[in-house]
Amino acid sequence: MNRARPSDPPVRFADAEEINPFQLLLDLHDHAVARTPGTGLDDVLTELALSAAVVSWWTRWQPSMIHAALLAGADLMDVAEATGLDASDVVRRWRRWADVQTRLDIGGRLSVDPVEVRAIEQRLGPGVVR
């Protein structure tokens, strides 16, 4: 599914989305550094496709990192400042992710332990979660 590197730089989101996420970051960096003011249409579309795929990937990845930070003991304001989000947005993204992950059964094990989620909820307080 995810390939390491496309044969031609992608000019469509669907093609960029197929690139391994970490390779995607490297490709976007390399492309942005090499782009000049006189860049052609394909170069601009490539940067747009790569950046859109990075945003899409990170949007899906971010809640798991929010969970990891909260699990490690970060408080809500630390996470909000690290993400640049309002505390309510942090909670909303984490909560939506945690609701799915605590029901996701992978080989007889839940993806995320509901006890961990409850511990984080208790630490955040009743006025913050739900």
Side-chain angles (χ1 to χ4, degrees), residues 5 14 24 27 41 51 53-55 64 78-79 81-82 96 110 125:
R5 191 180 277 287
L24 187 65
D27 289 353
L41 177 60
S51 61
V54 165
V55 168
S64 69
D78 290 335
V79 176
E81 289 175 4
R96 188 172 40 229
L110 294 176

Side-chain angles (χ1 to χ4, degrees), residues 8-100:
D8 292 315
V11 293
R12 297 177 328 136
F13 172 77
D15 296 331
E17 193 176 39
E18 291 297 314
I19 299 171
N20 173 290
F22 297 103
Q23 185 62 53
L24 187 65
L25 289 169
L26 294 171
D27 289 353
L28 177 59
H29 170 268
D30 293 347
H31 191 80
V33 168
R35 193 168 57 82
T36 61
T39 303
L41 177 60
D42 281 353
D43 288 330
V44 173
L45 290 175
T46 293
E47 188 168 335
L48 187 58
L50 290 171
S51 61
V54 165
V55 168
S56 175
W57 167 66
W58 185 246
T59 300
R60 293 185 306 265
W61 184 270
Q62 187 183 50
S64 69
M65 296 307 301
I66 289 170
H67 180 75
L70 293 170
L71 196 57
D75 67 31
L76 186 54
M77 292 315 299
D78 290 335
V79 176
E81 289 175 4
T83 61
L85 298 170
D86 291 332
S88 61
D89 288 334
V90 169
V91 171
R92 183 179 43 80
R93 290 179 190 196
W94 172 75
R95 175 83 266 157
R96 188 172 40 229
W97 176 86
D99 286 346
V100 171

